[in-house]
Amino acid sequence: MTTNGMRRRTGRMRKRVNGMTDLDGVFDALLEIEDGGGDGTIEFGRGHELAMSSLDKFYFRDAQRTKGDLMRYYVRAAPRLLPLMAGRPLALKRHPEGVEGEAFFQQAPPERTPPGVRVERVPTEDGPARRLVGGDLMTLLYCVQLGTIAVNPWHSRVGSLETPDYTVLDLDPGPRVPVQMVVQVARWLHDELEAAEISAAVKTSGSRGLHLVIPLPPRTSSESAQLMAQLFARRVADAHRKEATTIRSKSRRSQRAVYIDCMQNVVGKTVVAALSVRARPGATVSTPLAWAELTDDLDPTVFTIDTVPDELDARGRMYLDVLRQGNRLARLLASA
């Protein structure tokens, strides 16, 4: 090992796998490349290949987890994560030196991307622009190769970008708010949703907060999605003024309250995907929960790239089942 925690380079390795569905082959190839010096290329066949570099670099030094560990987690998560990303433009926040280094946002992909990585032109305020689009393993691993840690997909898909599939309530606790209070605010929101016969999924944010995700009927406008989130947020904030707030300005809202953020529902805004790793100490994962898990004992920091893999299938299926179940438009309208 060198002094910066990386192995000495021993040359670039090439590994061939049986296509992008050969997850075991890709996992093993990533491990061999990392052990062989950190630089290499995976050949997926049909002219598709992906160059990897610095897989031995520590991305989470406190957890002793490397860029290669991050890639291998995403390979294991792919069967449950990729359907959640499919057809959705991706917003990138790159951490080329890991969580302790400088980070920067990047919307447009590099001008030259490998064949097999999906890039589409999508409408933006400044006109059509190139964006990476999720849904396949090669595009996901390419994002990580660029230094992306968290997966941030749009709420809508290419071809229907003005009609999101879900709306999100992002519970963002102030610095003096214990996790137990975040859990309580989530329970109050759940009570309001249940009273309106509206289903929602819940997941950790990968940090100290929680995300409530409400599936929407087809062709729901982004404006309606935003209003739906605001409706339930205001109901809870009005009923529990000390514990919850919808005040956006940090200087004006209480540091002892949970901010119920509805502003991430604007077209083009994103929330970290379920089962995505976060750029946080400990390599935490935004993890789907059952509502019964919202107890005072909940500790979001226990969900990491080391602990979540054994639960990927069950938690991913549970989350996707809620999203696919959806909500009836009549119930959403009745709650307004």
Side-chain angles (χ1 to χ4, degrees):
M1 299 281 285
T2 62
T3 55
N4 67 355
M6 295 171 60
R7 297 177 181 85
R8 295 187 183 278
R9 298 283 174 249
T10 59
R12 177 169 289 279
M13 183 182 296
R14 296 188 73 87
K15 300 299 296 183
R16 180 181 293 274
V17 297
N18 296 318
M20 280 185 272
T21 60
D22 180 13
L23 299 183
D24 290 339
V26 175
F27 187 98
D28 291 342
L30 288 166
L31 189 59
E32 288 187 51
I33 290 171
E34 181 172 352
D35 287 343
D39 296 346
T41 299
I42 296 182
E43 300 176 1
F44 293 93
R46 298 185 178 181
H48 295 166
E49 61 180 40
L50 191 59
M52 313 285 185
S53 62
S54 303
L55 296 193
D56 54 348
K57 179 181 291 184
F58 282 127
Y59 264 29
F60 304 90
R61 188 167 292 277
D62 64 319
Q64 295 290 287
R65 290 293 169 258
T66 63
K67 182 179 182 180
D69 289 318
L70 179 64
M71 282 201 177
R72 289 189 293 276
Y73 167 82
Y74 277 127
V75 171
R76 295 185 68 177
R80 291 300 174 187
L81 175 59
L82 293 179
L84 301 176
M85 300 168 57
R88 303 184 191 279
L90 305 176
L92 306 184
K93 186 176 184 181
R94 296 175 60 182
H95 299 258
E97 301 303 321
V99 297
E100 296 177 349
E102 291 188 17
F104 57 94
F105 286 98
Q106 179 174 329
Q107 293 286 350
E111 283 300 317
R112 299 183 68 179
T113 57
V117 170
R118 186 178 177 187
V119 177
E120 301 280 355
R121 297 188 73 83
V122 303
T124 71
E125 292 181 355
D126 301 320
R130 296 168 68 250
R131 295 290 185 266
L132 289 166
V133 178
D136 64 84
L137 182 63
M138 191 168 173
T139 301
L140 175 58
L141 293 183
Y142 178 67
C143 290
V144 181
Q145 168 56 28
L146 292 176
T148 302
I149 294 177
V151 176
N152 288 277
W154 286 30
H155 306 326
S156 53
R157 302 174 192 267
V158 172
S160 56
L161 292 175
E162 294 292 335
T163 56
D165 299 305
Y166 48 79
T167 190
V168 179
L169 294 161
D170 180 1
L171 307 191
D172 182 10
R176 300 182 182 180
V177 177
V179 171
Q180 291 82 0
M181 184 54 65
V182 186
V183 167
Q184 182 58 69
V185 173
R187 288 184 194 137
W188 286 329
L189 284 164
H190 187 224
D191 290 344
E192 291 286 347
L193 292 166
E194 276 201 321
E197 296 184 307
I198 293 174
S199 63
V202 61
K203 63 186 182 73
T204 67
S205 68
S207 182
R208 298 176 59 241
L210 293 169
H211 294 156
L212 276 66
V213 182
I214 305 170
L216 299 170
R219 297 182 294 281
T220 300
S221 69
S222 58
E223 291 81 5
S224 297
Q226 176 100 354
L227 290 172
M228 181 62 53
Q230 290 174 341
L231 170 69
F232 287 102
R234 286 172 179 166
R235 283 182 183 176
V236 168
D238 287 346
H240 306 279
R241 295 181 181 275
K242 290 184 178 180
E243 297 87 356
T245 182
T246 56
I247 297 174
R248 185 165 179 78
S249 171
K250 289 185 178 181
S251 62
R252 292 181 51 230
R253 68 177 184 246
S254 170
Q255 299 300 295
R256 299 179 182 275
V258 176
Y259 172 46
I260 309 176
D261 186 0
C262 306
M263 301 306 294
Q264 299 306 109
N265 294 299
V266 176
V267 175
K269 293 287 187 179
T270 63
V271 172
V272 64
L275 303 177
S276 170
V277 183
R278 293 298 305 273
R280 301 282 183 180
T284 52
V285 172
S286 178
T287 305
L289 302 172
W291 285 102
E293 292 181 275
L294 291 188
T295 68
D296 290 343
D297 296 329
L298 179 67
D299 179 4
T301 65
V302 304
F303 300 107
T304 72
I305 62 172
D306 293 320
T307 63
V308 169
D310 289 340
E311 303 177 348
L312 277 167
D313 191 59
R315 291 192 180 276
R317 187 188 311 112
M318 173 180 66
Y319 184 80
L320 193 57
D321 283 349
V322 176
L323 296 192
R324 286 175 172 168
Q325 173 185 338
N327 286 296
R328 294 181 180 178
L329 181 59
R331 289 176 179 172
L332 295 175
L333 292 174
S335 67

